[in-house]
Amino acid sequence: MQLAVWTYEGPPHVGAMRIATAMEGVHYVLHAPQGDTYADLLFTMIERRGKRPPVTYTTFQARDLGKDTASLFQDSARDAIERFRPGALLVGSSCTAELIQDDPAGLAEAMGLSCPVIPLELPSYQRKENWGASETFYQIVRTLADRSVSAGPREGRRARANLLGPAALGFRHRDDLREVRAMLDRLGIDVNCVAPLGASPDDIRSMGRADFNVVLYPEIADEAARWLERTFGQPAVRTVPIGVGATRAFIEEVATLAGVDASAALEDGESRMPWWSRSVDSTYLTGKRVFIFGDATHAVAAARIAREELGFVVCGLGCYNREFAREVRAEAKACGVEALITDDHLEVEAAIADAAPELVLGTQMERHIAKRQGIPCAVISSPVHVQDFPARHSPQMGFEGANVVFDIWVHPLVMGLEEHLLTMFREDFEFSDNAGASHLHGSAPSLGDVVAESAPAEPHSDTLWTADAEQELKKIPFFVRGKARRNTEAFAAENGCARIDLATLYDAKAHYAR
Amino acid sequence: MSAVLPLATPGADCAPVLRERGQREVFCGLTGIVWLHRKMQDAFFLVVGSRTCAHLLQSAAGVMIFAEPRFATAIIEERDLAGMADCHEELDRVVARVLERRPEIRTLFLVGSCPSEVIKLDLANAAQRLGERHSPAVRILNYSGSGIETTFTEGEDACLAALVPEMPVGDPGGEQELLVVGTLPDIVEDQFLRLFAELGISRVGMLPARNARNLPAVGPQTRFLLAQPFLTETARALKDRGARRIDALFPFGAEGTADWLHAAAAAFGIDEMHCNRVCAPGRERAKRAIAHVRERLEGKRISFLPDSQLEIPLARFLSTELGMVPVEVGTPYLHREHCARELALLPEGTRISEGQHVDRQLDRVRADKPDLTVCGLGLANPLEAEGLSTKWAIELVFSPIHGFEQAGDLAELFARPLRRRDVLRV
């Protein structure tokens, strides 16, 4: 058993729901106990959809268990087909139904239903939401795509691409899609099919007409893209266009595959991020220590932007989805840090406290860890809450996405600097105020407190520090104070200093200044 | 001033209740943890379930999950199911870790879920075993909040019923004591305690108590008042210990609250004139607070989809005090005895439904076209998109709505969506 207060991902059937809800004309009959309909409100509330997800739940209760839950499933499937008349039916189990082993696949097959049935085997006790979405999408494509359809010769026509990955409840999928469509349009490439978002079973059937695939979210679409590659010989673009550099690489890759000139898309006059980042106002961003955590795709993209486009230093990098850990490990190596692959938020919290960053880029969960530790934070990845499904156009992808990223990431830092200046002023003015700097972060404890709290095994640093060194430490801007404290203590331990006085503090500073 | 509402109204109780089976768009009982852990400050709720259970709790608890909540999920994994790990040993390990992290916890609830019930994990046994190990520092109890057994607020019922055997034995020959049953917001609880004191009922216990370790005594000297309509099992457990229920309307609105207090006063032999005097100021304030909302709601038609079992008492309040017209009142479970007087006050022709077939029920809502539909969050936005005004039901469980001083707020909860609809020009 695993103790969890927070899970980064839901169960795999929620991933399947994300695919069904994204598509048109697909219905999902989910064998599940009463109460599992809570998942509907992820879509109706967080994503604010004005339609119920196309999901029929059997919602069995204890009294049904003694009887025939299998026929309950069949009745639900029959009702769903009659009422919703879908072009394809997904059938599967939630975690509890998996235990009672009614075999929705076999049951649905035995019914001889009038529409294509796609059975889903989603092992709830091993796998999670993203895997569920990926598997569901793969099964849909594999079942429905018409193998007799092909792209045919290219002469005299524009290249065609499938855009794969955008789904319901995806972080900024709606706006990313608009950006990528616009890029392809500038390049003179047609979009054959976007899937799963907005795709009907007929759209899936004609996927073979595309010359190549664009995998926007590997967590969801990589599996399906590999099958399409094998079956239709469609190559896949796997560069995810998040960040200016990645967007340029993406455009060039797509242009090469399509045999078109990339320059039209590369010269995007709306791309302001590079100049914003070069302008002197951004100089103070250089070397800011940033901790990054999220799904692998967004975490890796964020690390590259941080290093190459904003001049940050990545002091921590990780992801919660083990399936894509390899990419994160490679990027972490390039950043000179150890990748953190975990779905335990307590480990992430400890790692953040340990790294003492000046900015945290993460999920909704890291936002609250950062709040507790008094560190500025921006959200870069699912899971996210309702405020990260905004009304305004807010892509992460493409040049406009890079503009958005610049604003969103720098915003909390500017605020942090303002607060820092205020604190320094107050400290000078009042002089006797040794209450510490980060108290302007509402009720958040200072970084030092959190570090001490989260590492009870270590002796409390106060016993090490002389009063004047402690006092001097408090004069260091709060957002680097945690790091200064750690460095000084590490330096003292290394050099066998029993006490940390002013000299030790400045010796350590000189030592780490290299 | 009449103390109680007339009983002679044509009884909706006699009307047939539409019983439906099918897809139920409701929460499971685990959701009760979201408010129970706030009420009982020394208690921790450990759900033994799947990732779905953890996901439900964090979806339902929203932002609160980050404030180091006193609940968590022990997620069953493949190796637990395959018998590669002894579930009980695993549970012992997780419980030890929880108690290590939260040494201030005095009561730990092991909460059963659908997966733990289906694999027949014996949590009662585990609670007893662990209870012995961690006694006397921590008391370990168990109940089921699974969807297969409980619907939304029934999770509170199951939790409180698990507390009843832990309540100390009162003095059977002693003075009569009052027990108020059901989680109430602290401010509402304080208001009621003041009113009972003014009435002259001094020995009043609350279940749940703010500290799960300070449970009130129970015995034949106990008379209990239900503050919530969903406490079937708890009432039964209290009766088994000799306590007797005081029949009353539920304390919603001026009249419901007055009736509830009067019933208690009568059971304690308190002079009716005195009771009228004590209730009068609050009752008048409540009526004044309701009056301005009444203009907006009078004559408006309202339907309830099943959610919390609060539907019948709330429909009664909206009908008798605000002049609304209940069209369909759906409830996940109807306790006829506890709701008998509520049912009797609903207007004739009100369609009462128990259980749910959500698609058919939505067909009825579309055909009825009520001015306001009370429903869960999974249905609210989709119905709004179809042009039907809604009031999302969960807010009724998460807001102070009982008693005189909250009657205006309760009415306002129903008026607000309609006012908003009228105000918006987009």
Side-chain angles (χ1 to χ4, degrees):
Chain A
M1 284 180 199
Q2 184 202 354
L3 180 63
V5 178
W6 169 269
T7 65
Y8 282 100
E9 292 182 74
H13 71 257
V14 169
M17 282 183 71
R18 291 178 54 191
I19 303 300
T21 306
M23 293 181 68
E24 303 287 336
V26 171
H27 201 83
Y28 183 18
V29 178
L30 179 61
H31 205 17
Q34 162 175 278
D36 279 2
T37 52
Y38 82 88
D40 281 358
L41 62 89
L42 303 171
F43 302 94
T44 61
M45 297 304 292
I46 296 181
E47 210 181 2
R48 283 186 230 250
R49 283 176 177 261
K51 262 162 75 175
R52 293 175 64 209
V55 182
T56 295
Y57 304 78
T58 55
T59 60
F60 56 83
Q61 292 175 268
R63 59 185 170 193
D64 300 311
L65 291 178
K67 291 177 280 171
D68 200 358
T69 47
S71 69
L72 185 66
F73 173 83
Q74 288 186 314
D75 291 345
S76 300
R78 202 171 290 118
D79 282 357
I81 292 218
E82 198 173 306
R83 182 175 281 269
F84 300 104
R85 310 213 167 272
L89 190 72
L90 303 172
V91 297
S93 294
S94 78
C95 50
T96 303
E98 192 182 330
L99 297 171
I100 59 177
Q101 299 183 333
D102 275 335
D103 183 24
L107 289 170
E109 197 186 344
M111 290 170 71
L113 295 169
S114 53
C115 75
V117 174
I118 302 160
L120 301 174
E121 295 287 341
L122 309 175
S124 308
Y125 299 89
Q126 290 171 359
R127 304 293 191 162
K128 289 176 279 190
E129 179 179 331
N130 276 323
W131 188 89
S134 167
E135 172 69 11
T136 302
F137 184 47
Y138 163 66
Q139 292 297 347
I140 288 174
V141 170
R142 210 185 68 135
T143 311
L144 295 180
D146 185 342
R147 285 165 221 212
S148 66
V149 171
S150 73
R154 261 299 302 281
E155 291 91 37
R157 69 163 173 86
R158 283 157 57 115
R160 286 189 293 257
N162 294 320
L163 301 184
L164 308 181
L169 217 63
F171 177 64
R172 309 293 166 87
H173 287 196
R174 176 197 69 194
D175 302 336
D176 284 349
L177 183 59
R178 192 171 126 192
E179 286 306 309
V180 172
R181 273 180 174 281
M183 280 191 276
L184 295 186
D185 196 45
R186 276 168 163 254
L187 288 168
I189 297 167
D190 288 335
V191 173
N192 177 55
C193 162
V194 177
L197 193 63
S200 67
D202 279 338
D203 293 330
I204 302 289
R205 280 190 190 95
S206 64
M207 282 180 113
R209 284 183 68 240
D211 298 299
F212 62 95
N213 292 309
V214 174
V215 180
L216 295 180
Y217 305 101
E219 273 84 354
I220 292 171
D222 198 51
E223 192 70 29
R226 272 190 276 131
W227 183 84
L228 289 167
E229 203 158 6
R230 286 196 303 275
T231 310
F232 295 103
Q234 293 165 335
V237 176
R238 286 198 163 75
T239 301
V240 177
I242 301 180
V244 172
T247 298
R248 287 184 186 141
F250 172 85
I251 289 169
E252 273 158 11
E253 201 178 333
V254 169
T256 307
L257 263 182
V260 296
D261 179 13
S263 55
L266 284 172
E267 288 155 17
D268 189 328
E270 300 295 300
S271 175
R272 284 175 286 267
M273 196 267 214
W275 166 242
W276 253 241
S277 192
R278 282 176 193 282
S279 74
V280 291
D281 192 45
S282 300
T283 311
Y284 83 105
L285 299 177
T286 317
K288 285 259 178 230
R289 297 162 42 75
V290 55
F291 189 99
I292 299 170
F293 196 82
D295 68 36
T297 300
H298 286 89
V300 168
R304 294 201 180 130
I305 297 173
R307 282 197 300 144
E308 296 172 1
E309 300 175 19
L310 287 166
F312 291 157
V313 167
V314 177
C315 66
L317 175 63
C319 74
Y320 54 78
N321 50 340
R322 209 163 282 285
E323 293 89 343
F324 289 82
R326 202 165 43 160
E327 288 84 339
V328 176
R329 288 211 176 87
E331 181 62 26
K333 205 170 167 193
C335 298
V337 295
E338 185 79 22
L340 175 68
I341 313 296
T342 181
D343 62 352
D344 181 348
H345 72 278
L346 294 174
E347 267 186 61
V348 179
E349 182 166 357
I352 291 177
D354 201 42
E358 294 163 72
L359 174 68
V360 174
L361 301 172
T363 71
Q364 180 72 10
M365 191 57 208
E366 281 66 48
R367 204 155 90 158
H368 289 265
I369 293 173
K371 191 172 151 198
R372 275 164 56 92
Q373 302 190 7
I375 308 170
C377 180
V379 171
I380 59 156
S381 158
S382 289
V384 293
H385 216 318
V386 63
Q387 62 271 50
D388 275 298
F389 287 94
R392 65 180 185 278
H393 184 55
S394 324
Q396 300 285 292
M397 290 184 178
F399 293 122
E400 181 59 20
N403 295 342
V404 169
V405 161
F406 182 90
D407 290 346
I408 298 289
W409 293 14
V410 174
H411 177 75
L413 282 178
V414 173
M415 305 232 299
L417 189 68
E418 281 166 5
E419 280 188 0
H420 159 58
L421 289 172
L422 262 173
T423 313
M424 295 224 310
F425 173 66
R426 205 179 66 159
E427 211 167 73
D428 279 3
F429 184 67
E430 290 177 339
F431 210 67
S432 61
D433 181 10
N434 52 8
S438 63
H439 288 193
L440 286 176
H441 275 284
S443 59
S446 74
L447 198 59
D449 295 342
V450 171
V451 168
E453 241 172 69
S454 60
E458 288 176 11
H460 197 275
S461 49
D462 285 353
T463 58
L464 270 173
W465 290 72
T466 62
D468 54 349
E470 186 80 39
Q471 197 62 37
E472 198 75 357
L473 182 70
K474 284 183 181 155
K475 293 175 190 164
I476 294 170
F478 68 85
F479 48 85
V480 287
R481 193 182 307 146
K483 189 69 194 167
R485 179 188 282 275
R486 299 219 137 234
N487 280 352
T488 310
E489 285 170 9
F491 178 80
E494 245 172 62
N495 292 280
C497 307
R499 298 280 285 165
I500 295 173
D501 54 16
L502 273 176
T504 326
L505 179 69
Y506 284 114
D507 282 345
K509 185 170 188 281
H511 175 77
Y512 288 105
R514 287 170 294 144
Chain B
M1 193 191 311
S2 126
V4 288
L5 289 161
L7 276 168
T9 321
D13 190 25
C14 309
V17 172
L18 177 62
R19 286 208 174 71
E20 283 199 302
R21 299 292 307 277
Q23 179 179 325
R24 294 169 66 119
E25 186 85 15
V26 290
F27 280 127
C28 66
L30 294 181
T31 329
I33 292 170
V34 175
W35 64 89
L36 285 168
H37 89 283
R38 280 299 172 96
K39 185 71 191 179
M40 289 181 264
Q41 304 195 349
D42 57 346
F44 193 98
F45 294 79
L46 181 66
V47 177
V48 182
S50 62
R51 184 169 301 281
T52 310
C53 307
H55 196 237
L56 159 84
L57 278 177
Q58 79 185 36
S59 306
V63 162
M64 203 165 67
I65 194 109
F66 309 106
E68 197 63 41
R70 290 181 294 272
F71 58 81
T73 309
I75 297 181
I76 299 170
E77 293 171 310
E78 185 71 11
R79 39 191 225 106
D80 300 302
L81 295 175
M84 283 151 66
D86 182 318
C87 276
H88 288 283
E89 277 172 25
E90 283 287 292
L91 192 57
D92 293 4
R93 184 178 59 77
V94 170
V95 165
R97 193 168 163 214
V98 167
L99 294 178
E100 196 180 301
R101 270 183 68 83
R102 306 301 298 264
E104 74 282 13
I105 295 304
R106 294 286 162 266
T107 299
L108 177 77
F109 288 99
L110 297 178
V111 188
S113 65
C114 301
S116 75
E117 295 293 331
V118 166
I119 64 171
K120 301 208 184 325
L121 191 57
D122 190 348
L123 291 182
N125 182 300
Q128 198 184 10
R129 189 185 66 245
L130 284 160
E132 281 163 19
R133 180 176 307 171
H134 296 282
S135 168
V138 187
R139 176 172 59 199
I140 299 185
L141 301 175
N142 98 289
Y143 72 90
S144 172
S146 73
I148 57 177
E149 290 157 309
T150 58
T151 306
F152 196 27
T153 47
E154 283 177 340
E156 173 172 335
D157 187 28
C159 175
L160 300 189
L163 282 170
V164 172
E166 305 296 313
M167 293 165 80
V169 181
D171 174 10
E175 213 180 307
Q176 188 165 271
E177 291 169 0
L178 179 65
L179 181 67
V180 177
V181 191
T183 300
L184 292 170
D186 294 343
I187 186 169
V188 176
E189 189 176 305
D190 293 340
Q191 289 165 7
F192 283 150
L193 289 173
R194 280 200 297 271
L195 283 166
F196 287 127
E198 282 178 49
L199 284 171
I201 306 175
S202 54
R203 300 165 69 85
V204 186
M206 307 294 299
L207 182 69
R210 291 185 199 186
N211 253 323
R213 265 300 164 99
N214 301 337
L215 290 172
V218 67
Q221 78 290 357
T222 305
R223 303 295 305 270
F224 68 91
L225 258 183
L226 295 180
Q228 302 278 21
F230 45 74
L231 298 168
T232 304
E233 291 306 315
T234 310
R236 187 175 302 158
L238 287 168
K239 278 182 189 161
D240 287 348
R241 294 199 54 182
R244 284 167 297 156
R245 185 175 73 91
I246 302 170
D247 193 32
L249 291 177
F250 290 97
F252 300 117
E255 301 311 323
T257 307
D259 184 82
W260 193 72
L261 292 167
H262 270 279
F268 280 71
I270 286 157
D271 175 55
E272 192 174 327
M273 290 301 287
H274 175 61
C275 186
N276 280 340
R277 268 196 305 278
V278 169
C279 290
R283 193 174 180 174
E284 283 313 307
R285 269 201 303 275
K287 284 182 170 170
R288 277 205 306 278
I290 289 170
H292 74 279
V293 185
R294 187 178 171 111
E295 288 165 25
R296 183 171 292 276
L297 292 181
E298 193 162 22
K300 293 278 193 300
R301 296 162 69 251
I302 185 164
S303 280
F304 285 83
L305 270 57
D307 194 58
S308 62
Q309 298 184 45
L310 291 169
E311 296 83 5
I312 294 204
L314 291 178
R316 178 267 303 162
F317 160 69
L318 295 171
S319 158
T320 59
E321 299 189 35
L322 289 158
M324 291 189 86
V325 181
V327 180
E328 172 164 345
V329 184
T331 178
Y333 174 75
L334 177 62
H335 194 296
R336 284 196 166 249
E337 190 194 329
H338 292 177
C339 286
R341 298 193 44 214
E342 300 282 355
L343 287 167
L345 289 169
L346 286 177
E348 208 169 355
T350 305
R351 192 192 307 134
I352 313 276
S353 61
E354 185 184 9
Q356 189 174 35
H357 183 298
V358 70
D359 288 314
R360 272 189 228 139
Q361 194 165 34
L362 288 174
D363 287 344
R364 291 200 297 274
V365 168
R366 291 176 188 121
D368 291 337
K369 292 194 179 59
D371 297 292
L372 193 63
T373 304
V374 183
C375 62
L377 289 173
L379 300 172
N381 273 336
L383 285 177
E384 291 279 349
E386 290 182 31
L388 290 155
S389 288
T390 60
K391 163 81 220 94
W392 49 285
I394 299 124
E395 201 175 8
L396 299 164
V397 178
F398 286 129
S399 308
I401 58 170
H402 296 73
F404 291 133
E405 314 305 343
Q406 283 67 238
D409 302 338
L410 176 57
E412 170 63 16
L413 284 178
F414 293 93
R416 193 179 299 146
L418 295 179
R419 191 167 67 240
R420 183 167 184 79
R421 186 191 60 190
D422 295 344
V423 160
L424 294 183
R425 290 285 174 269
V426 290

